[in-house]
Amino acid sequence: MVELGEFERQLANGVKKLKPYQPGKPIETLQRELNLSTVTKLASNENPLGASPNVAQAIKRAASEIYRYPDGNGFKLKEALVAYYEQEIEPANITLGNGSNDVLELIARAFLNPGDHAVYSQHAFAVYALACQAVGAKATVVPAKKWGHDLDGMLKAITPHTKVVFLANPNNPTGTWFDSKAWEAFIANVPNNVLVVLDEAYAEYISEEEYPHGPNYLKRYRNLIVCRTFSKAYGLAGLRVGYSLSSLEIADYLNRVRQPFNVNAIALEAAVAALEDQHFLDRSCELNNHGLEELASELHAMELSFIPSVANFLCVNLHRYAEPIYEKLLQAGVIVRPVANYGMPHFLRVSVGSSKDNMRFIKALRKIL
Ligand SMILES: *Cc1c(COP(=O)(O)O)cnc(C)c1O
């Protein structure tokens, strides 16, 4: 028998009000629930091309070694990342994580005490709030500007008690981004004892000239932590690998709270293989740009507006509660992401898929509306 509340008094403070992260519905779950044979999932910003074929080979090789513990220092992957960043960083600047989600939590754990202050934006990636709440930190949620981060507002929200500011560029779920000029004006004015976490989960997709690539600012700002992931453009979401780049000192602190083997042996090898296939990345970006245009023109034709996005997803404005439409899309075998929990109850976030998947979504949505 389940006794609810039996141990509530024993809970750590931050955990009491914590609501678990809501992931996109898995394909198999919907297939089971509705007995559907084909399901299209455009709910978790996954790469419709999958991963580089090199990755499958690397996994096969790594599979015969899984009885051994992984390299807890991730030597090979760090060397591959140093080469990727053309020796601008050292291995000791890198902290590997079980997804960049892990790194975000390491940051909160290493730097935030109960009652400490953090800053992030309205409609920002949900993990910042979760990571802060779990350690009992307080946060100021700065109102968004045109759905994106209001960097001036975020600067003003920094107090003498602020320890960490979280930024997503581009942001998920809105797809909005800030340019070099706005970023430089921001970071130059953040007190240098405040940590700035720049989450660039979608950086590899971005071709805008004015996009400020975080790694370029590490030398100048020792309070900067740049987070990146293999989950999105590299297509390794299921393996869980991400990393941060930071000063040696910050990397040392993060390393103290990191689980000794937080990235598994298969993921380490797969990430090295993924990094080496830049051709796959180029194809992924090309397909994504094409898909964004395709979705945009179809939505225009349906007279639906959406938030302009530079990432591999976009938020469609339905001008009414989106939940019932989300449910009807599920019935039609299409999984997208409701974003009411982001304070956007009239929007649905749709990931850019293959042309076939995009059109299945568009056709289903047209029929429903
Ligand atoms: C997807 C995502 C992440 C986390 O991805 P991982 O799979 O944990 O690496 C981090 N930040 C943003 C903004 C994301 O959209």
Side-chain angles (χ1 to χ4, degrees):
M1 202 177 117
V2 185
E3 287 265 3
L4 285 176
E6 196 179 358
F7 298 103
E8 194 175 314
R9 275 160 47 101
Q10 329 286 76
L11 267 178
N13 283 333
V15 184
K16 228 164 259 180
K17 288 185 184 154
L18 213 55
K19 291 206 180 79
Y21 180 82
Q22 295 174 18
K25 192 188 264 285
I27 289 176
E28 284 183 9
T29 309
L30 186 65
Q31 282 176 328
R32 246 189 343 259
E33 286 172 357
L34 299 180
N35 203 9
L36 294 170
S37 55
T38 62
V39 165
T40 291
K41 184 186 176 205
L42 298 173
S44 300
N45 306 339
E46 294 149 349
N47 190 331
L49 288 180
S52 159
N54 299 358
V55 167
Q57 301 237 317
I59 289 176
K60 224 180 247 170
R61 270 180 272 128
S64 63
E65 298 292 320
I66 52 161
Y67 63 97
R68 294 196 191 281
Y69 277 95
D71 173 6
N73 287 319
F75 178 84
K76 247 177 98 179
L77 177 54
K78 287 183 182 174
E79 288 294 322
L81 284 165
V82 168
Y84 175 81
Y85 288 105
E86 298 177 338
Q87 324 293 327
E88 291 288 324
I89 54 162
E90 296 172 37
N93 295 117
I94 305 169
T95 305
L96 299 179
N98 198 265
S100 54
N101 198 320
D102 187 24
V103 180
L104 293 167
E105 286 185 15
L106 295 180
I107 295 167
R109 181 128 174 263
F111 290 102
L112 295 171
N113 286 314
D116 279 348
H117 185 241
V119 172
Y120 50 84
S121 173
Q122 182 187 21
H123 313 308
F125 187 51
V127 169
Y128 314 147
L130 291 173
C132 290
Q133 278 173 35
V135 297
K138 292 193 172 67
T140 297
V141 183
V142 177
K145 204 166 157 185
K146 292 184 186 164
W147 301 106
H149 290 14
D150 173 4
L151 294 184
D152 289 334
M154 293 183 80
L155 259 186
K156 290 191 186 107
I158 295 172
T159 74
H161 301 290
T162 307
K163 281 190 167 174
V164 185
V165 180
F166 292 93
L167 304 165
N169 198 30
N171 183 44
N172 173 16
T174 57
T176 51
W177 65 292
F178 45 82
D179 65 13
S180 308
K181 202 171 148 220
W183 159 250
E184 284 167 17
F186 172 82
I187 184 82
N189 284 294
V190 174
N192 54 20
N193 61 337
V194 174
L195 297 174
V196 175
V197 179
L198 181 61
D199 181 353
E200 296 188 326
Y202 303 92
E204 295 84 3
Y205 278 117
I206 316 267
S207 54
E208 270 71 8
E209 286 268 313
E210 293 305 310
Y211 180 76
H213 289 269
N216 296 339
Y217 296 87
L218 286 165
K219 289 229 160 77
R220 189 133 165 235
Y221 297 105
R222 288 198 308 280
N223 56 335
L224 175 62
I225 307 176
V226 180
C227 297
R228 292 197 169 189
T229 180
F230 286 93
S231 297
K232 307 289 163 55
Y234 290 102
L236 304 187
L239 281 177
R240 317 301 305 125
V241 206
Y243 60 94
S244 69
L245 306 176
S246 69
S247 72
L248 302 177
E249 183 186 345
I250 289 174
D252 170 39
Y253 296 150
L254 297 180
N255 202 35
R256 296 181 193 189
V257 290
R258 185 179 65 79
Q259 273 187 43
F261 305 106
N262 62 335
V263 184
N264 72 71
I266 291 182
L268 287 170
E269 292 293 335
V272 171
L275 256 190
E276 283 167 358
D277 191 352
Q278 287 301 305
H279 174 65
F280 173 81
L281 220 60
D282 293 342
R283 285 202 301 137
S284 302
C285 292
E286 219 169 278
L287 182 71
N288 189 59
N289 289 336
H290 179 263
L292 274 176
E293 281 170 25
E294 183 172 52
L295 284 171
S297 85
E298 294 291 338
L299 292 169
H300 273 308
M302 293 163 74
E303 298 185 349
L304 283 175
S305 63
F306 55 89
I307 304 171
S309 170
V310 291
N312 65 343
F313 55 85
L314 53 79
C315 272
V316 186
N317 191 349
L318 297 166
H319 296 285
R320 56 168 132 159
Y321 283 105
E323 187 71 27
I325 295 168
Y326 164 71
E327 293 291 340
K328 284 182 184 156
L329 283 166
L330 289 180
Q331 303 286 329
V334 179
I335 312 172
V336 296
R337 193 74 157 265
V339 283
N341 57 331
Y342 284 90
M344 302 169 70
H346 292 183
F347 287 82
L348 287 178
R349 192 194 72 192
V350 55
S351 305
V352 177
S354 64
S355 200
K356 183 168 160 244
D357 289 347
N358 298 338
M359 289 316 293
R360 183 170 178 192
F361 159 71
I362 290 288
K363 278 185 192 138
L365 183 63
R366 188 177 282 140
K367 206 164 156 197
I368 291 162
L369 298 176

